[in-house]
């Protein structure tokens, strides 16, 4: 099968399409025939060597998000061949990721796909929706409290706005002036500069850094970073935490239902053939994308 991998770290040109063996599922695992797989900033970091190489491998695989159809199952996997699914293929340094024709995933990381969107849009759900949901779990904002989401026009930020709004939280999105219409359409108030505002909770999806974003958090509030081990020290009674996203098929199934209910909106900016993965990485590196780039094997 074909898979997007890196054998030497570098820029977009480091991504190659390799012929590799089709992986076999073990006990509790499923093999997915990939119909679509989103490209995320973490894939750019993997390509550049930020996280190191896959242990013991000649190449490192790319891709965290997968949407497709179950093709084969191991004992006790909980799914059957033919099921339409989405999955989080967790890991920054792995031999194979979802940017491939087939991927094997633990059944506990898999959920039935939303029915209201196609596979391309479903592929934009797992990583960013789970990250937004788990970051909100760290903040635990109560209904009626205020939340500032930086990087609100991004995929993670957009899901955070919609999930928090569904909880009854008053959300303000920090983004560029050109993104105002988008932010308001997601259900948030909009700002380009919070100034002296102090929110009950701040989710720093833009990775501005704790010193900056803590200024917008009220005394005794809560702050969450979206990169592991980057939480600033607590200050002024503020709870601080950093997200380390984890696979959770049960919660992913609930998020998929929220797509069907119209609460969550997967956004796709562009699609690329798997063979054009280097071009997709080049577009990712340019920045300014509103929605996910998605590879189609």
């Amino acid at each position: 099968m074909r898979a997007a991998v890196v054998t030497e770290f570098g820029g977009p040109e480091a991504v190659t399409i390799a012929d590799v063996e089709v992986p076999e599922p073990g006990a509790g695992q499923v093999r997915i025939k990939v119909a679509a797989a989103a490209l995320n900033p973490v894939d750019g970091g993997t390509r550049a060597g930020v996280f190191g190489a896959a242990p013991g491998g000649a190449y490192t695989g790319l891709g965290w998000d997968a949407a497709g159809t179950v093709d084969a199952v191991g004992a006790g996997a909980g799914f059957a061949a033919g099921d339409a699914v989405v999955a989080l293929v967790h890991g920054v340094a792995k031999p194979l990721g979802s940017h491939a024709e087939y991927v094997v995933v633990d059944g506990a990381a898999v959920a039935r796909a939303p029915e209201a969107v196609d596979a391309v849009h479903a592929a934009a759900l797992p990583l960013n929706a789970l990250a937004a949901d788990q970051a909100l779990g760290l903040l635990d904002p109560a209904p009626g409290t205020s939340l500032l989401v930086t990087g609100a026009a991004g995929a993670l930020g957009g899901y955070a706005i919609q999930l928090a709004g569904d909880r009854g939280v008053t959300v303000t999105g920090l983004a560029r002036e050109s993104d105002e219409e988008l932010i308001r359409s997601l259900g948030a108030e909009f700002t380009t500069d919070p100034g002296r505002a102090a929110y009950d909770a701040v989710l720093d999806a833009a990775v501005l850094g704790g010193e900056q974003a803590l200024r917008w958090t009220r005394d005794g509030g809560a702050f969450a970073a979206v990169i592991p081990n980057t939480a600033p020290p607590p200050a002024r009674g503020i709870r601080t935490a950093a997200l380390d996203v984890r696979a959770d098929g049960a919660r992913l199934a609930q998020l998929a239902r929220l797509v069907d209910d119209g609460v969550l909106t997967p956004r796709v900016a562009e699609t690329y053939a798997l063979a054009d993965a280097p071009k997709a990485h080049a577009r990712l590196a340019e920045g300014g994308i509103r929605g996910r780039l998605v590879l189609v094997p």
Side-chain angles (χ1 to χ4, degrees), residues 107-256:
V110 180
R112 294 188 183 277
E115 298 178 358
V117 297
D118 60 16
V120 168
H121 286 80
L125 183 70
L127 176 59
N128 291 281
L130 281 170
D133 185 66
Q134 292 170 16
L136 289 174
L138 296 175
L139 294 170
D140 194 23
T145 59
S146 60
L147 168 68
L148 176 69
V149 178
T150 74
L156 193 162
Y159 283 135
I161 288 172
Q162 293 181 310
L163 287 168
D166 191 51
R167 297 183 183 190
V169 177
T170 300
V171 188
T172 299
L174 173 63
R176 299 173 183 174
E177 186 174 348
S178 59
D179 290 318
E180 179 174 2
E181 183 178 351
L182 169 61
I183 300 307
R184 294 193 185 280
S185 74
L186 294 170
E189 299 175 5
F190 171 78
T191 185
T192 58
D193 182 4
R196 295 180 178 273
Y199 297 86
D200 295 313
V202 173
L203 173 54
D204 186 22
V207 197
L208 297 177
E211 182 178 350
Q212 173 77 1
L214 278 178
R215 299 175 186 172
W216 301 320
T217 311
R218 69 162 175 81
D219 294 355
F223 170 89
V226 297
I227 297 178
N229 304 313
T230 61
R236 296 184 284 111
I238 298 169
R239 289 188 296 108
T240 63
L243 174 69
D244 190 353
V245 69
R246 63 188 184 279
D248 185 342
R251 182 54 182 159
L252 182 56
Q254 295 173 335
L255 295 170

Side-chain angles (χ1 to χ4, degrees), residues 32-46:
I32 300 170
K33 180 176 174 57
V34 179
L39 174 64
N40 290 280
V42 66
D43 296 308
T46 298

Side-chain angles (χ1 to χ4, degrees), residues 42-73:
V42 66
D43 296 308
T46 298
R47 181 204 72 227
V50 172
F51 311 111
Y59 49 79
T60 297
L62 300 167
W64 286 59
D65 290 309
T69 304
V70 173
D71 170 71
V73 297

